[in-house]
Amino acid sequence: MLRYILQRSGYMIVTLFIIVTITFFLMQLLPGTPFSNPDKLSERQLELMEEKYGLDKPVPVQYITYIGNLLQGDLGLSFQYEGRTVGSMIGERIGPSALIGGQAVVIGLLLGVVLGVISALKHNSFLDYGSVFIAVLGMSIPSFVFAALLQYYIGVRLEWLPAALWKDYSHSFLPSIALSVLVIATVARFIRTEMLEVLGQDYVNTARAKGIGEVVVILKHVLRNALIPVVTVLGPLAVSIMTGTLVVEKIFAVPGLGEQFTLSILVNDYSVIMGITLFYSALFIFIVFVVDILYGVLDPRIRITGGKNDG
Amino acid sequence: MKKLLLFLLLSSFLLLITACNFGDETSSEQDGDDGATETENDSSEEEGTSDESSGEKVINLVEESDIPTLDSSHAHDGIGFTVLNNVKEGLYRGDENHTPQLAMAEDHQVSEDGTVHTFTIRDAQWSNGDPVTAHDFEFAWKRTFEEVGHYNVMFETASVLNATDIINGDKSPDELGVEATDDKTLVVTLENANALFKQLLTFPTFLPQNQSYVEEMGEDYGTEAENVLYNGPFVLDSWSHDQEWTYKKNPDYWDASAVNLDQINVNVVKETSTAVNLWETEEVDRIELSSSYVDQYTDAEEFEVIELPDIVFMRFNHNLEQFQNANVRKAIDMAIDKEGLTNTILNDGSLPLNGLVPLNFSNSPDNHEDFREINGQFNEGTVEDAQALWEEGLSEIGSDGFNVALTVSDDENHQKAAEYIKNQLETNLDGLTVEINTVPFSARLEQEKAVDYEMVISTWGPDYSDPMTFIDMWVTDGPANRMDFSNEEYDELVQQARVETDAAARYELLLQAEQILMDEMHIAPLYQGAYSMLTRTFVKDVVHHPAAPEWDYKWADVE
């Protein structure tokens, strides 16, 4: 097991390195400069500024400098927010994103499992059609529509929850609910399909034949096996939701990371693009790794290490 | 194992909540609750808003993005300029009529030839208690060159001695024509007399900085509310990045008796629909509307339109044969119904533009007549007139029509305008086809600078309140020309205006220059922008300047 983890860590570092390299060179293809208000900058002024920030050097030299700084843990300074370190920018803005995303995943997982289970158990009933309908709605309607509706009806008309801004904990509810819809739909669909398949398996019949109560059969034998594919999709989905979603953050005026990332690409803020890409990829790779480990926990038949010597 | 997992999950969740900057909020909220809670409505329990009965005067505003920096040497955008203008003060401050009035300087003597300006600094102090001295100005101005600030070119515009040479690398920043002869006396030497000098001194790049403080802060200077010293009407009390910032009245400001507001809360809200919802829940007191909301609020008593001096126009590539022909250019400009564009398509208060210098931007020095009204509307005519010009132009260049690529950036309004222009031109001018070429803003700029386009929808906003900021764009090889336009007479007029000290004569030169550019429609002006705003009726006397710094809250009040 330890050998497996070490090996995987090695791969993860190599993957990250490749991502950083590709992003760095792709980024150079973006038109324009990282300096704000370029409309007003004369050629001479641009030259002076590029010289000051080392952008006049050949791209490979800039790359080596960047990697050098990176190895020392220095992500550089933002161009747009002069003087602010990329590390502190990510640090400040991941919190709100992770909070609303995390809550969305929890809400989505709970409701999604309930919907999926009901749907599978009451197969081809009205309840089933109802939850399938909800799932299809959730998949096909983009979250910003829910966000706008929630904001208007719950925030403005009913005034049950704050419409927007980021002041106290209650401000995180509406964005979380808006984001959770996609998770509910995804989870419900997977659970339903998988449970229907598992319900037909021989070992379920065996369990029932042994006289085990229906609830225990469902929870211990059916649901547990149906969860495996859910874990596969949920990992990456959770990462992408928790690292920030542009539209929902914009609508609810949440100072999150998704909005920052999009903005940095639009304005060529090189160091921020690199920093967030690196952060996002690292998290993603790590979650995929955790998911692989979880497979083994959920289903002892899956041996991640595979070989006879291990385990 | 399971319990451990659950514990880890829960504790990371708690950690997350504490990491969400809610903490900053509570502190500023408590400040608000001390005496400021809105009485007008019952929906704002959780926000600290204005309350007259408790004596605290508070207003709540929105801005669409964060402050990039509080370092006046690096400041480069409207939001940063507005904040700096309200928390710091330079030698001059623009008053409610946009006229520069003495501020940190209490006296200003000019030598006979207009090149040596001697300022006496008034008794004022920084927010750490240090006195504001002439050295703070000398230090800040020179530092702007050392730091390669975005706007060091303003010193060149102001004709400060050696500014051009420093930018060109021929002299060191230390040789800039500014010197503090003692704590109270600042001597600024100009290359030549400059009619714009006083006006330019209200621009944030000319603000002072306390040397020992800036050096102590190092790279952190200007990155947080705590990392800057203030000497303006307000201090920045808190600043949560991309979330909100709070101004508080500066009790040590020299003119504190003129300042009425106790606190201004500014929330970062990027979506207009969100701002509208916050307006509806009475959490904010002033918002800007987009065109889709204008019809909904146009009858509200809080609704107002503020014309902006930001112009949108088309550049013609003067290297192309068809655009060297004046009749072709005039026909294209005349064939576009600009009123239809502003009233129907944009519908946000924008005004049609038939000149270079926008309306409500500059008044003549003697009889205070609007620049746009003196020079009038250029190239107005009917579709038939445009068609006649078009036929004439085509026969002059020996063509029976052509296809033109219209480059436009991916801005929503510009794209709408481009579609409209394509339709107008193709309908009204026989033989002209328009192909719209949408590119990102930065790509548009690169193509403009390389003059690698046929026609392009461009924008320009003023750097200071004087027509020169538009006129000097078009000098031969000027950095803002970007269409290879060159006219000796024009260059000559601009040069004369730069050194002319008689205000009326100078204005006349600027008017003439515009006529040269517009008589033959070297550009096709389209419209000038506007803010459609909602402002609570109890908010009074917020000053809006036509050029940066845009907003001044010094005299603002709540009734």
Side-chain angles (χ1 to χ4, degrees):
Chain A
M1 190 67 178
L2 187 68
R3 214 181 85 193
Y4 173 74
I5 291 178
L6 282 179
Q7 200 182 10
R8 278 290 293 258
S9 308
Y11 288 147
M12 292 199 293
I13 288 168
V14 173
T15 316
L16 269 186
F17 181 73
I18 295 172
I19 292 174
V20 166
T21 307
I22 294 177
T23 315
F24 191 92
F25 287 98
L26 275 183
M27 197 173 65
Q28 305 294 329
L29 300 176
L30 288 171
T33 79
F35 304 112
S36 315
N37 208 351
D39 206 0
K40 298 285 187 179
L41 296 177
S42 66
E43 292 301 314
R44 174 68 195 152
Q45 181 69 10
L46 265 179
E47 272 172 38
L48 285 174
M49 293 175 82
E50 284 180 354
E51 201 181 305
K52 176 165 189 256
Y53 295 97
L55 296 175
D56 55 336
K57 300 202 179 77
V59 175
V61 176
Q62 291 183 41
Y63 173 72
I64 291 167
T65 316
Y66 183 81
I67 294 293
N69 289 337
L70 189 63
L71 290 177
Q72 296 165 35
D74 178 7
L75 289 171
L77 295 177
S78 163
F79 287 95
Q80 293 298 305
Y81 298 99
E82 236 126 346
R84 297 192 44 209
T85 61
V86 174
S88 76
M89 287 173 72
I90 296 178
E92 273 173 22
R93 305 196 58 172
I94 185 62
S97 287
L99 178 67
I100 61 171
Q103 291 183 155
V105 170
V106 173
I107 299 171
L109 190 60
L110 293 178
L111 288 182
V113 167
V114 170
L115 271 185
V117 169
I118 292 176
S119 199
L121 293 180
K122 307 283 174 192
H123 189 43
N124 283 340
S125 71
F126 274 115
L127 277 176
D128 181 23
Y129 297 142
S131 44
V132 169
F133 181 70
I134 293 174
V136 171
L137 271 192
M139 291 295 280
S140 48
I141 301 180
S143 54
F144 68 84
V145 175
F146 290 110
L149 289 174
L150 284 171
Q151 179 171 68
Y152 185 68
Y153 286 101
I154 309 227
V156 178
R157 293 289 287 277
L158 299 171
E159 297 194 11
W160 286 350
L161 286 169
L165 301 181
W166 196 248
K167 304 271 183 193
D168 55 49
Y169 181 52
S170 66
H171 286 80
S172 71
F173 295 164
L174 284 185
S176 291
I177 297 170
L179 276 179
S180 70
V181 177
L182 179 68
V183 187
I184 297 177
T186 313
V187 172
R189 268 187 42 208
F190 271 92
I191 291 279
R192 177 178 179 272
T193 319
E194 286 304 313
M195 274 195 50
L196 285 178
E197 199 189 317
V198 177
L199 279 169
Q201 299 278 335
D202 289 343
Y203 63 80
V204 176
N205 286 333
T206 313
R208 282 180 178 150
K210 277 170 27 187
I212 299 173
E214 186 66 13
V215 176
V216 181
V217 173
I218 298 295
L219 286 183
K220 241 187 137 173
H221 297 272
V222 183
L223 192 57
R224 179 165 174 170
N225 286 298
L227 271 178
I228 295 169
V230 174
V231 169
T232 317
V233 287
L234 198 65
L237 186 67
V239 173
S240 71
I241 285 184
M242 292 180 67
T243 48
T245 42
L246 167 71
V247 183
V248 169
E249 284 173 8
K250 255 182 121 171
I251 289 180
F252 290 104
V254 174
L257 198 61
E259 200 275 327
Q260 179 62 62
F261 186 42
T262 319
L263 182 77
S264 66
I265 294 175
L266 289 179
V267 298
N268 291 12
D269 200 341
Y270 295 144
S271 40
V272 179
I273 299 177
M274 288 304 297
I276 300 185
T277 308
L278 185 68
F279 175 75
Y280 185 93
S281 335
L283 206 61
F284 194 85
I285 295 171
F286 178 71
I287 290 290
V288 169
F289 170 65
V290 171
V291 166
D292 282 354
I293 305 258
L294 270 183
Y295 283 150
V297 177
L298 282 172
D299 186 348
R301 286 174 303 180
I302 301 176
R303 281 276 165 269
I304 35 175
T305 39
K308 289 171 191 166
N309 306 331
D310 294 305
Chain B
M1 180 68 179
K2 275 180 187 165
K3 275 182 187 161
L4 182 73
L5 260 176
L6 195 69
F7 172 75
L8 281 177
L9 259 173
L10 277 177
S11 46
S12 56
F13 177 71
L14 284 176
L15 204 71
L16 202 56
I17 292 185
T18 48
C20 280
N21 292 336
F22 291 135
D24 290 6
E25 288 334 295
T26 10
S27 73
S28 67
E29 238 184 301
Q30 278 160 359
D31 292 338
D33 289 343
D34 285 344
T37 25
E38 185 104 27
T39 45
E40 269 114 320
N41 62 82
D42 50 6
S43 65
S44 59
E45 289 103 354
E46 69 259 32
E47 316 308 330
T49 39
S50 65
D51 178 8
E52 293 101 81
S53 62
S54 68
E56 288 265 303
K57 291 180 172 177
V58 183
I59 58 173
N60 296 283
L61 307 176
V62 292
E63 283 282 10
E64 60 184 19
S65 63
D66 196 14
I67 310 166
T69 174
L70 287 170
D71 181 346
S72 55
S73 289
H74 282 295
H76 51 66
D77 81 316
I79 292 171
F81 288 151
T82 288
V83 174
L84 283 170
N85 183 49
N86 286 292
V87 298
K88 296 186 82 170
E89 190 160 272
L91 298 168
Y92 275 88
R93 171 180 292 274
D95 66 10
E96 47 272 50
N97 301 315
H98 326 305
T99 316
Q101 302 290 353
L102 286 173
M104 272 300 114
E106 59 182 3
D107 187 46
H108 176 189
Q109 299 294 329
V110 190
S111 69
E112 219 163 87
D113 63 352
T115 57
V116 181
H117 294 250
T118 309
F119 298 91
T120 310
I121 309 299
R122 76 169 70 244
D123 290 326
Q125 60 176 352
W126 291 105
S127 44
N128 68 348
D130 285 0
V132 178
T133 69
H135 299 284
D136 298 335
F137 285 90
E138 183 188 341
F139 168 73
W141 295 12
K142 288 178 175 170
R143 177 171 173 269
T144 301
F145 285 92
E146 271 156 17
E147 288 282 315
V148 198
H150 266 70
Y151 272 93
N152 58 22
V153 68
M154 288 307 259
F155 291 93
E156 194 180 8
T157 312
S159 315
V160 178
L161 187 68
N162 295 336
T164 311
D165 288 341
I166 299 170
I167 291 174
N168 289 331
D170 299 332
K171 289 205 165 128
S172 82
D174 206 38
E175 293 171 79
L176 188 72
V178 54
E179 196 196 358
T181 51
D182 58 56
D183 276 358
K184 286 285 172 196
T185 315
L186 184 74
V187 180
V188 183
T189 315
L190 305 185
E191 309 246 352
N192 46 260
N194 188 322
L196 288 174
F197 187 55
K198 266 207 295 197
Q199 180 68 52
L200 289 170
L201 287 177
T202 64
F203 195 80
T205 309
F206 294 88
L207 289 168
Q209 292 165 9
N210 181 315
Q211 180 167 5
S212 58
Y213 186 82
V214 171
E215 282 167 358
E216 183 194 322
M217 281 295 149
E219 275 200 339
D220 293 334
Y221 179 70
T223 55
E224 308 287 342
E226 310 79 58
N227 295 352
V228 194
L229 288 185
Y230 307 105
N231 69 328
F234 297 92
V235 297
L236 207 60
D237 184 56
S238 71
W239 174 23
S240 304
H241 296 294
D242 247 286
Q243 186 176 335
E244 67 158 12
W245 60 92
T246 306
Y247 301 98
K248 283 218 166 144
K249 183 176 173 167
N250 180 359
D252 300 323
Y253 180 54
W254 68 273
D255 196 17
S257 60
V259 181
N260 301 307
L261 292 180
D262 295 293
Q263 187 173 331
I264 306 174
N265 303 315
V266 185
N267 293 296
V268 179
V269 177
K270 296 175 190 197
E271 279 285 321
T272 309
S273 62
T274 308
V276 168
N277 285 336
L278 290 169
W279 169 268
E280 287 298 327
T281 55
E282 306 204 10
E283 284 180 72
V284 296
D285 301 326
R286 193 186 73 190
I287 62 168
E288 189 196 332
L289 296 173
S290 60
S291 57
S292 51
Y293 287 98
V294 167
D295 286 337
Q296 189 184 333
Y297 287 99
T298 188
D299 294 326
E301 60 172 335
E302 295 100 341
F303 181 80
E304 66 173 328
V305 171
I306 300 177
E307 284 107 16
L308 297 178
D310 296 309
I311 64 168
V312 179
F313 61 97
M314 288 197 292
R315 280 185 169 95
F316 298 109
N317 183 341
H318 279 56
N319 298 321
L320 300 177
E321 197 203 345
Q322 63 267 36
F323 293 138
Q324 284 165 358
N325 184 290
N327 286 326
V328 167
R329 294 192 305 262
K330 286 161 88 168
I332 287 178
D333 174 78
M334 201 182 282
I336 302 166
D337 174 9
K338 295 171 189 171
E339 254 173 55
L341 175 62
T342 54
N343 297 351
T344 315
I345 309 292
L346 301 172
N347 187 32
D348 58 357
S350 303
L351 292 175
L353 185 64
N354 291 303
L356 170 66
V357 178
L359 188 72
N360 282 342
F361 174 65
S362 164
N363 289 327
S364 65
D366 37 9
N367 48 6
H368 299 287
E369 213 180 327
D370 195 294
F371 188 99
R372 186 72 277 119
E373 272 157 17
I374 303 176
N375 251 357
Q377 308 293 317
F378 289 96
N379 202 42
E380 279 192 312
T382 63
V383 173
E384 288 72 32
D385 296 339
Q387 283 163 344
L389 285 167
W390 177 243
E391 292 306 324
E392 211 181 316
L394 283 187
S395 70
E396 279 164 12
I397 59 170
S399 156
D400 48 3
F402 53 86
N403 177 62
V404 61
L406 174 60
T407 302
V408 57
S409 59
D410 50 7
D411 174 281
E412 191 192 336
N413 276 350
H414 292 185
Q415 286 185 56
K416 282 196 233 166
E419 290 291 340
Y420 178 81
I421 290 164
K422 172 184 163 76
N423 182 285
Q424 291 265 304
L425 293 181
E426 288 181 348
T427 315
N428 295 337
L429 301 181
D430 257 353
L432 180 63
T433 49
V434 180
E435 180 196 324
I436 295 175
N437 183 8
T438 308
V439 295
F441 171 73
S442 46
R444 186 201 95 196
L445 216 55
E446 285 195 343
Q447 293 179 14
E448 266 182 23
K449 287 181 175 174
V451 199
D452 179 21
Y453 61 86
E454 295 181 17
M455 289 198 306
V456 57
I457 297 188
S458 300
T459 53
W460 194 254
D463 291 325
Y464 45 87
S465 292
D466 187 272
M468 184 60 110
T469 189
F470 293 104
I471 300 286
D472 78 353
M473 293 171 73
W474 310 106
V475 295
T476 305
D477 293 329
N481 188 310
R482 301 176 199 165
M483 61 178 191
D484 289 341
F485 166 74
S486 174
N487 182 310
E488 276 180 29
E489 203 188 340
Y490 192 90
D491 294 349
E492 181 60 30
L493 283 169
V494 173
Q495 194 43 46
Q496 283 174 20
R498 275 184 183 148
V499 293
E500 179 60 66
T501 46
D502 179 72
R506 177 176 174 279
Y507 215 73
E508 187 52 41
L509 292 168
L510 296 175
L511 288 162
Q512 281 175 29
E514 195 198 42
Q515 287 162 16
I516 292 178
L517 185 80
M518 301 310 298
D519 275 342
E520 294 193 331
M521 300 316 280
H522 286 285
I523 58 166
L526 297 171
Y527 62 91
Q528 69 180 93
Y531 288 141
S532 292
M533 306 212 50
L534 292 175
T535 310
R536 301 265 180 237
T537 47
F538 60 78
V539 178
K540 304 283 182 203
D541 299 327
V542 173
V543 174
H544 180 260
H545 295 304
E550 210 177 354
W551 301 97
D552 199 323
Y553 304 116
K554 177 175 169 181
W555 303 277
D557 204 351
V558 172
E559 281 179 7

